[in-house]
Amino acid sequence: MRRVLAFFTGLVFLVGVGSLALTLYLWFGAWPQEMKQTVDHLRSARANLGKAPEPLLQNPTGQAHESLGGTWQAVIDPFSRGELGGLAPRALEPKAPADLAEFSFENGLTLKVPGDWNTQDPRLVFYQGVVWYKRSFEHDPASGSRTFLYFGAANYRASVYVNGLLVGEHEGGFTPFNFDVSDQVRAGENLLVVKVDNRRDDGDIPTPTTDWHNYGGLTRDVLLVRVPESFVSSYELRLDGEPGDAIVGFVQVAGPSRNASVSVEIPELDVAVTAQVDAEGRAALRIPARPERWSPEAPRLYRVEITLGEQRITDRIGFRTLGVADGEILLNDRPVFLRGIAIHDETLDGGGRAWSVAHAEATLGLAKELGCNFVRLSHYPHPDAMARVADRLGLLVWAELPVYWNVAFDEDDTLELGRRMFSELIARDRNRASVIFWSLGNETPAGPDRDRFFAELARHVRSEDGSRLLTAALLTGPEALGPFIGSYYLPALLGWSRSEWVFHIDDELEKIVDVPAINEYFGWYYSGGLALVTPFSSEYARRVMLDNMERIRFVTEGGKPLIVSELGAGAKHGLHARPGEMRVYSEEYQAEVYRRQLVMLARQDAVRGLSPWILKDFRAPLRLYQGVQDYWNRKGLVSESGEKKQAFDVLRSYYGELAARES
Ligand code: GCB
């Protein structure tokens, strides 16, 4: 018995010593490098799976940074097999001729970053799944500094690996995120691998079905940003509304230093102040100043410089006030009427995701040509270049979260995701004078879960930024349309039209936002739909609607200013109707719908702006009418490659008249 005991004691001792030796060997010993890398990778994968990004660095391009844009190697991975057994894909790549190989970045696809993958390879046009990206970069981590990897956007989920180690993951296809990779980068060559998956499910924002294309990939720039150990992570400068003689805001410092002093300079205003941060790293600012106010007519921007030690951030900021009172939207205390247009994030020259300053200048330049002072950047956050260029050109901006149609309003995780997306968007754009609206969502079906969801989301947005107006595009669904059709449209089809057609908008969401908005398609959808379920021909139904359109009156609750955030009709560029012919998808019919709509809208008391749908034809896999749509939504005022349709001029002359009347 004693022998057995001694044997087992010895065995336990040996196993213990053996494990200790093995652990020491793995950590410090000459264990084959490959094996150690694999173990490190597995550790990082366990530790950092789902690890959220660090708080967003504000204005990375306004400080020392390097773009990692260019040509990256890529692998299409339809079954998401690249992490076989939890391994980083690089571990599966062959290193010697006899190695078993199931994966390789070499000799394959390359993709441009930034850019969607769909327009870069015919196999990827409608692809929804995983693509792996890889590139290497040189780095020299100076002591006393931290290194961040900043992604402008990756649609929809991204997992980021530096030198084989998972550093974290991000969800959400349109907002920026960054990771502090100081512990993973090394001097010399570094390897960056990113897994991007553009599939979404019902708990996501948005859900899988949308009327726009699910462009995947690293759609915006990837940056390497080096900051000191203690650094300015965010700041805000804006004009104090009352009485408008001070610039207020804050500078937030992150890192170990708790008694840093930051300097803020605005040379054109003779402002040079130094502020001490508090125990939370925050310096509240109130700087007496009377800047010239930013407006669409005079989009004055001031150069701002923020310095902390070796970190120097420059920005160009406009100062204006914003509010609502007595049914008006007030910009610099004066009522403003929004002459707008809705825009999807695609380049003007043939589709594909837009990302650059040049893209933004082309698109917003066209909006200016149309006579706009306002753009609705639908249905998700656009690249930061859009708000920056809008600042310069003098365009007011509606920025939106893709809470589109129906999302999982009853799920806490979905609400949390919405909150985080807004935080990322606000952190990025909080200093843009052009941005006046945060839009909570688009055409969401009413109900208690939805109302609770939006009330929470609105609370969150107001707590992060109380200086802008909240809006949302309401769904003019059956509740509003049913009574309208029954009381006015049907009787008119039967030959008896009432002098006023009341369109009653009644949605709980109106109470939550500051400025409600409606999407309406008089002259397009409703007539076509009605003809399908009544004996009336679609031609007759359309004629009756067009002829009576000016009788329509919107009635809202609460006396808030109202925006018509969508109206429009489809037309294929170059498709024409014969004189007098009622032909949908012709340029003439689209132009006629615009003419009638504009007469009707000019007579609405509550309406303080409009953003017709939409500037340019955009990719939409929902649109299956071959020969006409071919997977494009045709409601653009210009075609997918920028050719103007007749309706462009109709809206341009209307906006021209409005602007002339105002000046
Ligand atoms: C809408 C949606 C928008 C669509 C548009 C259309 O109401 O908000 O996303 O693309 O109608 O063309 O039907």
Side-chain angles (χ1 to χ4, degrees), residues 192-208:
L192 172 58
V193 170
V194 188
K195 173 191 179 187
V196 185
D197 186 347
N198 69 337
R199 287 168 299 180
R200 299 178 308 236
D201 63 39
D202 291 343
D204 295 344
I205 300 178
T207 61

Side-chain angles (χ1 to χ4, degrees), residues 130-191:
V130 171
V131 170
W132 291 88
Y133 285 78
K134 180 199 134 189
R135 72 157 282 165
S136 55
F137 62 92
E138 289 292 320
H139 190 56
D140 175 18
S143 69
S145 74
R146 304 206 69 79
T147 304
F148 280 82
L149 259 180
Y150 181 100
F151 294 81
N155 188 28
Y156 172 81
R157 283 188 173 79
S159 310
V160 178
Y161 300 83
V162 173
N163 293 324
L165 306 179
L166 179 66
V167 297
E169 305 194 299
H170 180 260
E171 176 177 356
F174 304 98
T175 45
F177 55 97
N178 52 217
F179 293 103
D180 181 343
V181 294
S182 313
D183 294 340
Q184 288 88 10
V185 284
R186 52 185 177 229
E189 193 182 48
N190 289 270
L191 190 69

Side-chain angles (χ1 to χ4, degrees), residues 98 244 441 651:
L651 189 60

Side-chain angles (χ1 to χ4, degrees), residues 548-627:
N548 286 281
M549 189 116 62
E550 65 186 79
R551 295 171 190 244
I552 296 173
R553 288 283 172 281
F554 299 148
V555 174
T556 57
E557 300 292 314
K560 294 181 177 177
L562 178 72
I563 294 189
V564 177
S565 39
E566 290 182 30
L567 65 106
K572 183 169 163 127
H573 176 257
L575 188 84
H576 292 288
R578 285 191 305 275
E581 188 190 20
M582 175 87 65
R583 183 167 186 193
V584 293
Y585 291 109
S586 67
E587 288 192 39
E588 286 77 6
Y589 186 75
Q590 184 191 38
E592 185 61 10
V593 169
Y594 267 78
R595 273 186 219 103
R596 304 283 183 152
Q597 280 269 359
L598 295 175
V599 170
M600 181 268 285
L601 290 173
R603 304 173 69 157
Q604 305 300 325
D605 295 335
V607 171
R608 288 293 168 271
L610 47 144
S611 52
W613 194 252
I614 183 167
L615 185 63
K616 183 188 84 76
D617 289 357
F618 59 96
R619 268 249 183 245
L622 280 188
R623 306 293 169 171
L624 310 175
Y625 182 7
Q626 300 186 72

Side-chain angles (χ1 to χ4, degrees), residues 315-563:
D315 209 337
R316 288 172 63 73
I317 298 182
F319 299 100
R320 49 104 184 108
T321 63
L322 182 66
V324 276
D326 304 327
E328 299 284 356
I329 298 166
L330 301 176
L331 185 73
N332 297 321
D333 308 318
R334 290 180 46 201
V336 59
F337 187 90
L338 306 174
R339 307 186 305 270
I341 190 71
I343 297 174
H344 259 300
D345 177 29
E346 284 186 358
T347 67
L348 265 191
D349 59 359
R353 277 274 176 259
W355 53 270
S356 70
V357 170
H359 292 145
E361 283 170 345
T363 296
L364 296 179
L366 189 62
K368 288 289 284 186
E369 189 185 331
L370 191 59
C372 294
N373 62 3
F374 170 61
V375 285
R376 175 183 179 198
L377 303 185
S378 44
H379 280 303
Y380 40 75
H382 285 218
D384 69 326
M386 287 294 269
R388 285 187 179 278
V389 174
D391 263 11
R392 254 202 281 132
L393 298 185
L395 285 162
L396 298 160
V397 168
W398 158 316
E400 181 164 333
L401 221 63
V403 181
Y404 182 83
W405 294 347
N406 214 349
V407 308
F409 291 114
D410 55 342
E411 295 280 341
D412 289 346
D413 286 352
T414 306
L415 175 60
E416 191 44 39
L417 179 60
R419 284 199 194 105
R420 197 173 44 65
M421 285 180 175
F422 252 125
S423 297
E424 289 167 345
L425 173 59
I426 293 170
R428 191 192 72 180
D429 284 353
R430 65 182 333 139
N431 286 307
R432 302 285 70 84
S434 54
V435 178
I436 57 166
F437 289 130
W438 298 128
S439 168
L440 300 178
N442 180 75
E443 292 186 347
T444 51
D449 285 335
R450 184 212 62 168
D451 297 344
R452 211 173 313 117
F453 181 99
F454 279 131
E456 282 300 320
L457 196 58
R459 214 186 326 276
H460 175 74
V461 175
R462 288 191 173 111
S463 76
E464 300 238 321
D465 176 11
S467 74
R468 291 185 170 83
L469 304 174
L470 291 196
T471 188
L474 308 183
L475 175 64
T476 42
E479 311 79 26
L481 278 173
F484 174 83
I485 289 174
S487 308
Y488 306 102
Y489 194 10
L490 269 179
L493 288 167
L494 292 166
W496 179 66
S497 179
R498 294 162 75 163
S499 58
E500 256 200 0
W501 293 22
V502 176
F503 191 70
H504 193 224
I505 301 147
D506 183 10
D507 185 320
E508 278 299 300
L509 197 42
E510 274 178 79
K511 298 186 187 133
I512 296 174
V513 298
D514 303 300
V515 180
I518 55 163
N519 296 347
E520 51 89 353
Y521 282 92
F522 298 116
W524 185 247
Y525 285 123
Y526 316 145
S527 308
L530 200 67
L532 288 175
V533 293
T534 60
F536 305 109
S537 74
S538 56
E539 183 176 350
Y540 175 67
R542 285 184 189 283
R543 174 59 54 213
V544 169
M545 176 52 86
L546 291 182
D547 287 348
N548 286 281
M549 189 116 62
E550 65 186 79
R551 295 171 190 244
I552 296 173
R553 288 283 172 281
F554 299 148
V555 174
T556 57
E557 300 292 314
K560 294 181 177 177
L562 178 72
I563 294 189

